[in-house]
Structure formats: structure tokens, C-alpha cells
Amino acid sequence: MPYTSILTNYKTKHGFEAFLPKAVLFDMDGVLYNSMPNHAIAWRTSMAKFGIDMTAEDAYATEGARGVDTIRNMVKAQQGRDIDEAEAQRMYDEKTRVFHTLPETPIMPGVIELMSQIKACGLTIGVVTGSGQRPLINRLLTDFSDYLNEANITTAYDVARGKPNPDPYLAGMRKAGSRQPWQTIVVENAPLGIHAGVAAQAFTVAVNTGPLPDEALLSEHPDLLFSRMTDFSNEWATFYNTIKQQ
């Protein structure tokens, strides 16, 4: 479908008169970093210590949610008990410890090139992640120092309700300068995150960098779908020029 039709569909869907992007909000895992394989290992290994069977499929299906929320849901489903946030946090701390014993994950191909183009267009770049791990935040600030500052990073600790609720992206919009949904592009790779972006009424771009079928992402109704970050980077100029001409 041509970008003109996609943009028209977005505005019609949400009842917006215009789409004038001022900020691009990226998810972190699976979007900026090819980190989900390591997260799957860390989840499976750490949760086994607490008697929780968490598969790689579970890790991908819950990607983007706050870690403590994922743990509380898994404990309830498998052990039939409710745990408070403090206990879930202790379990999540173990998952964090295991994750940081694994090899460092690479930056996703195409991300730097895409951010460079976005910055050249004068748009603000932000990150909205379900993680709250300080080492990962520090790495973001190092790897993307030319494009990102800490004031524009939204973590699990900035919201009470994580993805798939819209709260993280609404908070990200505020951090990007009180941007409105029709001024915001969200870039996501996971169903829960796509749901959150759409619920926040941002223009939501899905990039399928993981093992899930396209249908799993399309079922959350993103406005665009790419197979790789490099594809989005290669299409940015055409996409953005179409926005300016609408």
C-alpha cells in the first residue's frame, strides 16, 4: 500500500486532522539491540530457580512488558499464588544477573543509519523500554550518544502500568516534549509493544526482528510493518518525504 494511503488510514483511524511527527520513540530489546536470544536464555535459567517454567516462546510473547509484571503473571499461572512487587523484583534481579553473564548483544543492523536520518530531519529520538536495568541504560547512552540523552529514556520505573498499556509511550511523549500522538512515531518489534503504541494513538511501525510470524504482529494493527531495521532505514527518506507532502 502506498505511504499516502497508509498515512490517510492512520489519521482516519484516530480521527486526527494531521500527522506531523516531531519525535520517534524506539523500543530497546529486539529493536535497538539483537538482545532477545540472550533475554530468552536469562528468563529460562533464572525462573527455573524459582520453580517457574518459562520457555523461549514465553519470553518473546511477553517482550516489552515490565519484568516484574511478567513474573507476577507467571507465578500466578503456574503456582496459583499472588506475589507482591518486592518479591517479583527480587526474582527479576536474578534474571538481570544472569543476563549480564551472557555475551554483549550487538546493535541491530540499520539502527544507526536510521537514527542519523531521523536526527537530520530535526526529530527528537527517545527510547521506551520495559527494562529498568541501569547497565543497559548506560549502554544506550554510550552507543547512541549522538542521538539520545537520558531525559528521553522511559523505563519500567517511570510507569505503574507497563506495555501493553499505553502508559509507557504516553510517558515517552511527555519526555520528548509533551508531544501529541499525532506528532509521534513508535518503533516496536513485539506484540505487546505494538499494542501499547497503537493504544497510545501514535503512528506505530512494527519491525519483525524475531521468530514470531508476521501475523502475530499484524494482529495488533500497526500502521506499517518491515521485516528488518535495515528495510525501515532504507525506506525512511521516501516515507518522511511523503509525510511532508501530505
Side-chain angles (χ1 to χ4, degrees), residues 7-197:
L7 297 173
T8 298
N9 288 347
Y10 166 73
K11 289 182 288 186
T12 300
K13 176 170 64 175
H14 296 294
F16 295 147
E17 294 183 1
F19 173 49
L20 303 170
K22 303 295 183 183
V24 180
L25 304 180
F26 289 88
D27 178 41
M28 181 174 68
D29 293 306
V31 173
L32 300 184
Y33 297 108
N34 188 18
S35 50
M36 281 309 298
N38 278 9
H39 278 292
I41 293 170
W43 274 119
R44 187 174 68 250
T45 302
S46 61
M47 291 303 103
K49 298 179 180 180
F50 301 100
I52 298 296
D53 179 21
M54 189 165 182
T55 66
E57 289 74 18
D58 291 330
Y60 280 98
T62 58
E63 179 190 351
R66 296 196 315 157
V68 292
D69 292 338
T70 296
I71 290 169
R72 295 176 78 174
N73 291 337
M74 295 293 287
V75 170
K76 180 67 172 179
Q78 295 189 22
Q79 299 181 350
R81 63 190 184 95
D82 294 307
I83 62 173
D84 60 21
E85 186 137 343
E87 182 176 353
Q89 183 64 55
R90 289 192 293 271
M91 295 170 70
Y92 184 63
D93 289 343
E94 174 60 14
K95 184 263 177 179
T96 300
R97 186 195 68 78
V98 174
F99 179 81
H100 288 292
T101 66
L102 300 172
E104 187 172 78
T105 55
I107 296 173
M108 194 69 75
V111 165
I112 296 294
E113 294 81 0
L114 177 58
M115 284 192 176
S116 178
Q117 295 179 81
I118 292 169
K119 181 179 178 180
C121 292
L123 278 62
T124 298
I125 295 172
V127 172
V128 177
T129 174
S131 174
Q133 301 175 33
R134 189 67 223 181
L136 294 180
I137 305 307
N138 290 341
R139 188 182 174 196
L140 281 173
L141 295 172
T142 298
D143 290 343
F144 304 105
S145 58
D146 290 341
Y147 312 105
L148 184 66
N149 61 66
E150 187 158 6
N152 289 330
I153 299 176
T154 303
T155 75
Y157 300 120
D158 289 310
V159 293
R161 302 191 310 165
K163 303 171 188 177
N165 296 291
D167 307 35
Y169 281 112
L170 295 174
M173 291 177 201
R174 292 191 294 271
K175 286 197 171 193
S178 299
R179 304 301 183 191
Q180 299 297 317
W182 49 270
Q183 295 177 308
T184 309
I185 297 171
V186 162
V187 186
E188 269 283 356
N189 72 307
L192 294 184
I194 295 167
H195 188 102

